[in-house]
Amino acid sequence: MSLIRNYRETLDFLYNRLPMFQRIGAAAYKKDLNNTIALAHKLNNPQKSFPTIHVAGTNGKGTVTHMIAAGLMAQGFKVGIYTSPHYRDFRERIKINGQMMDKKEVITFVRMMEETIDEIKPSFFEITFVMALYYFKKEKVDFAVIETGLGGRLDSTNIIAPLLSVITNISFDHQMFLGNTLPKIAMEKAGIIKAKTPVLIGERQEETKEVFLSKSKEMDSPCYFAEDMIRVDEQRNISYKKEVIVHSLKMDIDGPFIKKNLITSMAALVLLKQRGVDMEWSKLLFIFNHFSTHLMYLGRWHWLSRNPDVLCDSAHNAAGIEQTMNTILSMGYNNIHFVLGFSDDKDLASIWPLLPVNGNYYFAKARVPRGMDATKLHLLAKQAGFSGKPYSSVRKALAAARKISGLDDLVYVGGSIFVIAEVI
């Protein structure tokens, strides 16, 4: 008989019994799909019950996943969304039309699968993904938009046979698993390309485009580049084949990454329309204008307050941080206060050159095992030429930054999704 009695105990079981990459790092990484295949088989392969869209990439894949889902929701479809990691609540990973999975459903699933979990010994990510598949089947979704966790070829999500594969871009991240060159990383992401299934590439990059073209040819799959399909002007008029299909799209989210992700997402929706999915472009206007609330979209270019201005952003690798820094440094603030924490395996040598030496720094460790100790981070920052202080918690670091900052200053919180999760 199960000893799990409530939601809290269910989460304790998931976090403590199963290896979780976000918490412990490399020890939780599984290099094959065997566990996921076995788990799905036990559940009668729920992934075969509904059409899917598969989204991989280094940066932007969470935003693109939500944008594609929003486009489908706007047409009246019931849409499952699977993303990772979560910020505040485990159930953020598994949503239908922006609503989190019910706590009772999580409890029921884990109780049902306890013996199977003991038998197969999956990772946290593996069991969470099949939980999503089971829930989406049970709730009879029309579509599910599935974000990869890490990489693509060997990612647990790669058991699906999607209508469309999307790869947002390729940058350096998780090199220990995916390779130490952009082409090698691209090969891992290209592993989601399925036979005779269109693939959309969000950004054409000289170092990686041939990888995708070659893999697509091998799989007899048409390959598209988003920038060849979609144009977005300053008024957010969205054009396909020189024809404006969406006029003056207003969104309740912003940030330096929005335009690229919007181009990729709109190209994906065009391709889905070409595959027979009903799509009326005017219906996008309302849902994108209420994007954050309808999709429960968190943590990306997220303003915690104004006067003082406090901004959180999930950029956590060199490419993402560079784009974020370029934007905030152009915004005209007198001083910028950086509340930062990183994972212990982060390549900080690639991060330091992107940060302004004259900023004010507050270092903290997120409450996860693989978070870098604040004192160690402070020492490494000092060696790199940065001044600042370590703090015993993210909240204390943020409180100190807020206390010192003036009305013409910015407080920026970032470096790790888990740092942001403690303050949003």
Side-chain angles (χ1 to χ4, degrees):
M1 189 173 112
S2 175
L3 297 176
I4 295 171
R5 293 167 295 183
N6 55 43
Y7 184 60
R8 182 69 262 164
E9 290 180 356
T10 304
L11 293 188
D12 288 343
F13 176 87
L14 291 173
Y15 293 154
N16 298 326
R17 288 277 296 278
L18 308 176
M20 181 181 181
F21 179 81
Q22 279 80 17
R23 293 177 63 82
I24 66 174
Y29 182 59
K30 301 292 182 71
K31 293 185 178 180
D32 60 62
L33 303 179
N34 293 340
N35 282 353
T36 312
I37 292 167
L39 289 166
H41 180 72
K42 290 276 187 181
L43 296 166
N44 297 316
N45 292 308
Q47 73 277 11
K48 296 181 180 180
S49 302
F50 46 85
T52 56
I53 297 91
H54 204 185
V55 183
T58 305
N59 291 315
K61 62 183 186 289
T63 300
V64 167
T65 295
H66 282 86
M67 284 184 172
I68 294 171
L72 292 168
M73 286 165 57
Q75 311 308 315
F77 294 119
K78 190 174 186 179
V79 184
I81 304 168
Y82 178 74
T83 58
S84 62
H86 62 271
Y87 290 87
R88 298 188 294 218
D89 189 320
F90 164 80
R91 297 172 301 138
E92 294 165 26
R93 296 167 178 259
I94 305 170
K95 297 180 286 194
I96 295 177
N97 283 7
Q99 298 298 309
M100 295 188 296
M101 185 176 180
D102 188 88
K103 289 180 181 180
K104 289 180 181 177
E105 295 283 358
V106 178
I107 297 166
T108 300
F109 178 85
V110 175
R111 281 177 173 169
M112 178 182 75
M113 294 294 286
E114 270 189 274
E115 287 187 13
T116 299
I117 289 169
D118 287 339
E119 173 194 339
I120 294 175
K121 296 180 171 55
S123 70
F124 173 89
F125 189 87
E126 288 165 337
I127 197 67
T128 301
F129 176 54
V130 295
M131 183 190 302
L133 296 177
Y134 177 82
Y135 181 59
F136 294 158
K137 178 182 178 180
K138 181 174 181 289
E139 294 298 315
K140 296 181 172 61
V141 299
D142 297 309
F143 296 92
V145 191
I146 306 291
E147 177 195 1
T148 60
L150 196 159
R153 180 174 64 94
L154 299 176
D155 189 75
S156 298
T157 62
N158 207 26
I159 67 168
I160 63 175
L163 273 178
L164 173 68
S165 301
V166 180
I167 302 171
T168 58
N169 54 51
I170 303 299
S171 302
F172 288 108
D173 204 5
H174 303 301
Q175 289 97 307
M176 68 183 79
F177 307 115
L178 306 180
N180 55 11
T181 69
L182 292 181
K184 284 181 180 178
I185 296 171
M187 275 300 300
E188 290 299 315
K189 309 285 186 183
I192 72 166
I193 300 174
K194 302 298 194 300
K196 301 184 186 300
T197 301
V199 58
L200 173 68
I201 311 302
E203 294 180 40
R204 180 186 279 104
Q205 298 166 270
E206 285 303 314
E207 303 98 317
T208 61
K209 68 178 184 181
E210 290 304 323
V211 172
F212 297 128
L213 291 171
S214 175
K215 183 67 175 179
S216 298
K217 185 176 181 181
E218 175 192 330
M219 302 302 288
D220 194 20
S221 300
C223 183
Y224 303 86
F225 290 88
E227 62 199 67
D228 295 340
M229 299 173 61
I230 298 293
R231 292 284 182 272
V232 179
D233 67 19
E234 293 302 312
Q235 288 73 43
R236 290 237 176 101
N237 296 307
I238 300 170
S239 302
Y240 170 61
K241 289 186 175 178
K242 298 183 179 180
E243 177 189 351
V244 176
I245 57 174
V246 179
H247 293 267
S248 302
L249 183 69
K250 293 180 174 59
M251 301 183 68
D252 66 347
I253 60 171
D254 206 350
F257 50 83
I258 287 295
K259 185 175 180 180
K260 283 183 180 180
N261 291 335
L262 185 59
I263 288 170
T264 302
S265 304
M266 287 300 305
L269 293 172
V270 166
L271 291 173
L272 289 173
K273 183 173 184 177
Q274 290 176 0
R275 300 214 73 188
V277 178
D278 290 338
M279 198 70 61
E280 191 175 325
W281 302 120
S282 62
K283 290 182 177 179
L284 301 185
L285 295 171
F286 177 80
I287 197 163
F288 275 87
N289 198 20
H290 300 85
F291 188 84
S292 60
T293 50
H294 277 69
L295 277 295
M296 197 180 160
Y297 177 84
L298 299 170
R300 292 92 162 177
W301 207 256
H302 184 129
W303 292 94
L304 276 186
S305 67
R306 295 288 194 172
N307 297 323
D309 288 359
V310 180
L311 173 67
C312 300
D313 189 61
S314 296
H316 59 277
N317 54 47
I321 290 173
E322 181 177 26
Q323 189 175 34
T324 298
M325 289 303 110
N326 288 342
T327 301
I328 66 173
L329 291 173
S330 71
M331 293 169 74
Y333 287 101
N334 280 353
N335 301 288
I336 303 178
H337 305 264
F338 294 90
V339 177
L340 295 180
F342 295 96
S343 299
D344 204 32
D345 56 0
K346 187 59 61 181
D347 174 23
L348 292 179
S350 66
I351 303 296
W352 297 130
L354 308 176
L355 303 173
V357 177
N358 61 348
N360 304 296
Y361 288 87
Y362 310 74
F363 303 107
K365 175 185 179 296
R367 294 192 304 267
V368 292
R370 65 186 278 248
M372 183 178 292
D373 178 76
T375 303
K376 176 184 175 182
L377 179 56
H378 173 236
L379 178 62
L380 292 172
K382 191 174 181 180
Q383 291 171 353
F386 296 87
S387 60
K389 287 177 60 178
Y391 291 83
S392 59
S393 74
V394 176
R395 286 189 174 275
K396 287 182 178 178
L398 176 56
R402 273 181 153 149
K403 186 175 181 180
I404 294 172
S405 66
L407 291 180
D408 295 323
D409 292 355
L410 173 69
V411 177
Y412 173 82
V413 184
S416 165
I417 287 172
F418 306 104
V419 169
I420 294 166
E422 295 188 19
V423 298
I424 61 172

